[in-house]
């Protein structure tokens, strides 16, 4: 694996070489701090002060260079403005085209400047993360917050993008002016009078995308993307030429098929929840066996997630085809179990459905094959498709309250979910076979998880001197000597950056913070599964609800997912730190669980519905911030390969569902009167222990 320092050198704009962040030298500085502290030659206070001053100096240097280049662009735009004014007096199409091209050249130079800025921002994020990891400090959060909010901070000046915004503004109205002049010969109306003006030169669109990456302007999409565990990893920004190649290889229909797979699988998971207890009774089993029926799908998913994750290293089409066939067979067996009067066939059918879970493939496809500028939207689409499927499953069960026969096959509320999903997977399989385009086999290994620093925005860094003051530009011999030293320094990391090849090796990389966050994920999935899976049993026993009532209730719960994510992604996450939202959500889940207990008789509908809503919505908020924090605290070695961070989180959540569904079945043997309180006790224990664990690791959650 090529070191980041080498990548940075290879991607530099040569005439600006002296102004780049020298990542390898800075890395050596961090190593020296560590060595000095181990022998007692440095203390914590001096190291933090020295490192802060070093960063401030380099950021200031970058900013001054940025201002200089903006001045050059401003001077060029001023000269072009004179030509522009003359052209307005005597329009000439040939001169208009020449002036448009001159403006485009300024735009291309601005793109180079933005590329320079983004590369240095990545360099700073990486060195801050390395400093925290190597020295065991939480310096990043302190440094960014103090510099981003101080009125004289150079970092703050970059956040505002004032100079860049001015250049983009001049280019925008100049292109609009010339375009209108070319078409209408002088009837120009200012773009400020036409807010809906749609003409955009391609260079402006490229600049907008580059500025958006620096501004982090899509907070809601980023929130959903991090929740999907598919956010783009920190890497060097692609050149415009490479991005064009990537865009040409992107196949929208294949992305749509992956999102459809996610949607259908979630429908398949939850479509049986309102009727599973009734189906179990019709096959001669206890109603509480519905926990095993629902959970058997999750049991199989524990294993399917691993082999699908490994399979996606080689292909996307084949695992998706296999998944569709297995789900088609599984749903058919689920439907046939009624006429065969066989509970084992029912369970085998659900096990097959779990073996067809291809969500690992869906995540991996978005990570590997979607252009970076669309990856955030695709990630948000993944979460939205999951949420929509979760709501549509119970709603569809409500619509399937029918009873008839076809070819001696029973079609009723128990079997129709299986037949409908079998038909849906058959149609999906045909669509997949006709329209899916598998990427070339020589693709690079993809990145599944994002590991970004919890920073307030983009950061800038610049070349750093060693302990002794050095000249700005080194001569060739010095430069080559330094590169050789840097390569030696980088070598130890090459081994540590290899993907993990076993679940045991992955577990060894889990820090206490990561273990706690995985436990929190386990807890919230357990609580959600208890609320959803036992709803038909609880409501029938206490309130005599019909299947239709249960289906509507579950559909309404599912419909809260997207509004909750919008509120959290757009507002709450911008007001509070994610660790604050995390702890607050855990407390709310705990409150919801406590309110769910049957402490008084009679047990009322408002108490059940209200407590279930508090628990479910709080768990939804918790899931978003939990996965976002996980994406930051996990090791970068868990970003690639089969045993990645996404797989670990999936396994934790799936295991929680298995245990929750098993608890429901076991508790059912003590009688339905004890079912509710018996299943809530473990959930409450897990919740309280997760709150304590979060408090213990609170200061390490950035």
């Amino acid at each position: 694996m090529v070191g980041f320092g080498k990548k940075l050198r290879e991607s530099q704009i040569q005439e600006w070489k002296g102004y780049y962040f020298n990542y390898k030298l800075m890395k050596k500085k961090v190593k020296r701090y560590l060595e000095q502290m181990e022998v007692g030659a440095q203390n914590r206070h001096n190291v933090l002060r020295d490192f802060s001053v070093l960063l401030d100096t380099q950021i200031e240097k970058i900013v001054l260079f940025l201002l200089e280049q903006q001045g050059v662009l401003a001077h060029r735009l001023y000269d072009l403005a004179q030509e522009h004014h003359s052209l307005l007096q005597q329009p000439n199409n040939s001169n208009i085209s020449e002036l448009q091209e001159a403006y485009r050249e300024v735009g291309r130079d601005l793109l180079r400047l933005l590329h320079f800025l983004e590369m240095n921002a990545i360099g700073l994020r990486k060195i801050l993360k390395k400093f925290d990891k190597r020295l065991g400090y939480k310096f990043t959060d302190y440094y960014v917050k103090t510099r981003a909010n101080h009125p004289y901070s150079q970092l703050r000046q970059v956040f505002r993008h004032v100079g860049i915004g001015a250049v983009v503004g001049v280019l925008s109205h100049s292109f609009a002016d010339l375009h209108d002049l070319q078409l209408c010969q002088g009837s120009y109306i200012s773009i400020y009078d036409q807010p809906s003006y749609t003409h955009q030169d391609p260079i402006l669109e490229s600049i907008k995308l580059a500025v958006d990456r620096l501004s982090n302007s899509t907070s809601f999409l980023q929130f959903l993307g991090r929740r999907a565990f598919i956010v783009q990893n920190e890497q060097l920004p692609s050149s415009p030429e490479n991005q064009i190649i990537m865009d040409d290889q992107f196949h929208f229909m294949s992305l749509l098929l992956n999102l459809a797979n996610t949607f259908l699988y979630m429908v398949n998971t939850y479509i049986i929840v309102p009727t599973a207890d009734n189906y179990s009774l019709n096959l001669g089993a206890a109603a509480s066996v519905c926990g095993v029926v629902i959970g058997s799908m999750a049991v199989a998913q524990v294993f399917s997630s691993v082999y699908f994750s490994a399979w996606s290293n080689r292909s996307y089409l084949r695992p998706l085809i296999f998944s569709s066939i297995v789900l088609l067979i599984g749903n058919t067996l689920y439907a046939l179990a009624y006429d065969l009067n066989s509970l084992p066939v029912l369970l085998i059918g659900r096990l097959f459905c779990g073996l067809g879970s291809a969500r690992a493939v869906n995540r991996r496809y978005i990570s590997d094959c979607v252009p970076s500028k669309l990856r955030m939207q695709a990630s948000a689409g993944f979460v939205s498709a999951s949420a929509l499927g979760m709501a549509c499953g119970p709603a569809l069960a409500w619509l399937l309250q029918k009873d008839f026969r076809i070819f001696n096959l029973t079609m009723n509320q128990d079997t129709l979910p299986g037949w409908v999903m079998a038909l849906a997977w058959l149609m999906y399989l045909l669509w997949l076979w006709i329209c899916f385009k598998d990427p070339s086999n020589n693709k690079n290994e993809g990145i599944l998880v994002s590991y970004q620093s919890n920073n307030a925005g983009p950061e800038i860094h610049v070349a750093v001197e060693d302990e002794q003051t050095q000249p700005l530009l080194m001569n060739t011999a010095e430069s080559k000597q330094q590169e050789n030293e840097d390569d030696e320094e980088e070598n130890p990391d090459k081994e540590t950056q290899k993907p993990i090849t076993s679940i045991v090796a992955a577990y060894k990389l889990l820090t206490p913070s990561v273990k706690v966050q995985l436990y929190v994920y386990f807890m919230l999935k357990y609580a959600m599964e208890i609320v959803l899976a036992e709803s038909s049993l609880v409501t029938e026993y206490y309130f005599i609800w019909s299947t239709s009532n249960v289906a509507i209730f579950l559909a309404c719960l599912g419909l809260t997912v997207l509004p909750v994510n919008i509120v959290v992604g757009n507002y709450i996450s911008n007001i509070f730190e994610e660790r604050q939202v995390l702890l607050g959500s855990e407390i709310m889940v705990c409150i919801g669980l406590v309110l769910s207990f049957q402490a008084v008789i009679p047990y009322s509908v408002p108490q059940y519905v209200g407590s279930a809503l508090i628990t479910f919505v709080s768990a939804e908020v918790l899931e978003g911030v939990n996965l976002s924090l996980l994406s930051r605290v996990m090791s970068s070695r868990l970003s690639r390969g089969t045993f990645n961070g996404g797989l670990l989180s999936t396994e934790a959540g799936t295991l929680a569902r298995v245990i929750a569904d098993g608890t429901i079945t076991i508790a059912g043997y003590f009688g339905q009167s004890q079912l509710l309180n018996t299943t809530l006790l473990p959930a409450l224990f897990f919740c309280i222990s997760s709150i304590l664990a979060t408090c213990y690791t609170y200061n390490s959650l950035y």
Side-chain angles (χ1 to χ4, degrees), residues 195-357:
S196 59
Y197 182 75
T198 57
H199 173 71
Q200 287 284 351
D201 193 90
I203 196 69
L204 291 176
E205 185 63 28
S206 298
I207 292 171
K208 180 180 181 299
L209 292 173
V211 172
D212 282 347
R213 285 199 302 270
L214 288 174
S215 302
N216 292 323
S217 59
T218 53
S219 58
F220 171 53
L221 293 182
Q222 287 189 359
F223 178 81
L224 287 185
R226 290 194 299 268
R227 172 174 174 165
F229 248 36
I230 315 174
V231 186
Q232 182 180 0
N233 196 11
E234 275 188 344
Q235 56 188 346
L236 293 181
S238 303
S239 64
E241 293 80 6
N242 291 338
Q243 187 62 54
I244 291 173
I245 294 173
M246 183 71 174
D247 291 349
D248 290 342
Q249 295 174 345
F250 171 59
H251 190 236
F252 176 76
M253 186 58 70
S254 298
L255 171 62
L256 189 61
L257 280 160
N258 274 279
L259 297 180
N261 183 281
T262 298
F263 169 77
L264 286 176
Y265 188 79
M266 293 302 289
V267 172
N268 209 152
T269 300
Y270 290 99
I271 193 173
I272 72 157
V273 173
T275 58
D277 58 334
N278 187 68
Y279 205 164
S280 301
L281 286 171
N282 287 333
L283 295 182
S288 59
V289 174
C290 70
V292 174
V293 174
I294 296 171
S296 57
M297 192 170 179
V299 170
Q301 192 178 347
V302 171
F303 304 98
S304 67
S305 297
V306 178
Y307 71 73
F308 274 120
S309 181
W311 202 348
S312 63
N313 289 325
R314 301 185 299 274
S315 172
Y316 298 102
L317 177 60
R318 291 176 183 176
L320 287 176
I321 289 176
F322 177 77
S323 164
S324 303
I325 293 174
V326 170
L327 282 159
L328 173 61
I329 295 172
N331 281 288
T332 302
L333 289 175
Y334 181 85
L336 287 174
Y338 189 92
D339 291 307
L340 296 175
N341 194 29
S342 173
L343 184 63
V345 172
L346 181 74
L347 295 176
I348 291 173
R350 287 297 285 180
L351 283 170
F352 265 73
C353 290
L355 291 174
S357 171

Side-chain angles (χ1 to χ4, degrees), residues 567-696:
V567 172
V568 176
N570 276 338
Y571 303 106
I572 295 179
S573 62
N574 293 328
I575 299 173
F576 302 99
E577 293 182 11
E578 286 183 330
R579 57 181 180 170
Q580 294 175 327
V581 180
L582 180 89
L583 187 56
S585 301
E586 288 180 271
I587 294 172
M588 289 303 300
V589 171
C590 187
I591 292 173
L593 291 173
V594 170
L595 293 176
S596 298
F597 278 88
Q598 182 194 3
V600 295
I601 298 175
Y603 191 58
S604 65
V605 172
Q607 180 185 352
Y608 174 75
V609 173
S611 59
L613 188 62
I614 292 173
T615 303
F616 187 82
V617 170
S618 301
E620 278 296 326
V621 175
L622 181 58
E623 183 176 0
V625 293
N626 170 255
L627 290 179
S628 179
L629 284 169
L630 260 177
S631 72
R632 293 191 174 100
V633 299
M634 271 192 175
S635 168
S636 58
R637 292 188 68 190
L638 293 172
S639 65
R640 301 172 302 280
T642 301
F643 298 96
N644 49 63
L647 177 64
L648 293 179
S649 62
T650 298
E651 293 292 86
T654 304
L655 184 62
R657 291 173 53 205
V658 171
I659 296 175
D661 292 326
T663 302
I664 293 172
T665 297
I666 294 172
Y669 286 101
F670 296 103
Q672 282 193 294
S673 62
Q674 302 298 319
L675 176 69
L676 180 63
N677 289 350
T678 304
T679 54
L680 287 175
L681 278 174
L684 185 61
F685 169 77
F686 291 142
C687 188
I688 293 174
S689 59
S690 74
I691 292 173
L692 296 176
T694 299
C695 292
Y696 177 74

Side-chain angles (χ1 to χ4, degrees), residues 26 30 33 44-56 59 124-125 127-147 453-455 461 699-700 702:
M26 196 61 143
V30 173
Y33 284 143
R44 180 179 184 273
H45 176 74
N46 289 337
V47 167
L48 295 180
R49 183 183 60 185
D50 185 53
F51 196 60
S52 298
V53 171
L54 195 58
L55 291 178
D56 290 340
I59 292 175
L124 177 62
R125 284 198 295 268
I127 204 63
L128 283 170
K129 184 176 181 180
K130 187 174 292 291
F131 182 86
D132 285 349
K133 181 179 179 181
R134 293 284 178 87
L135 277 72
Y137 298 152
K138 292 305 167 188
F139 174 76
T140 298
D141 188 68
Y142 154 78
Y143 184 80
V144 173
K145 284 187 175 180
T146 54
R147 269 59 178 179
S453 305
N454 188 16
N455 296 344
H461 205 51
N699 291 330
S700 64
Y702 288 95

Side-chain angles (χ1 to χ4, degrees), residues 37 59 94 153 157 179 199 202 247 266 275 294 359 363 376 382 438 440 445 467 482 486 528 641 655 663:
M37 292 192 67
I59 292 175
S94 176
S153 168
Q157 308 310 316
H179 178 73
H199 173 71
D247 291 349
M266 293 302 289
T275 58
I294 296 171
R359 286 169 65 82
R363 281 191 176 102
M376 196 67 71
F382 177 84
D438 214 357
S440 57
E445 188 174 8
E467 286 189 323
Q482 178 182 302
D486 291 342
M528 291 175 70
L655 184 62
T663 302

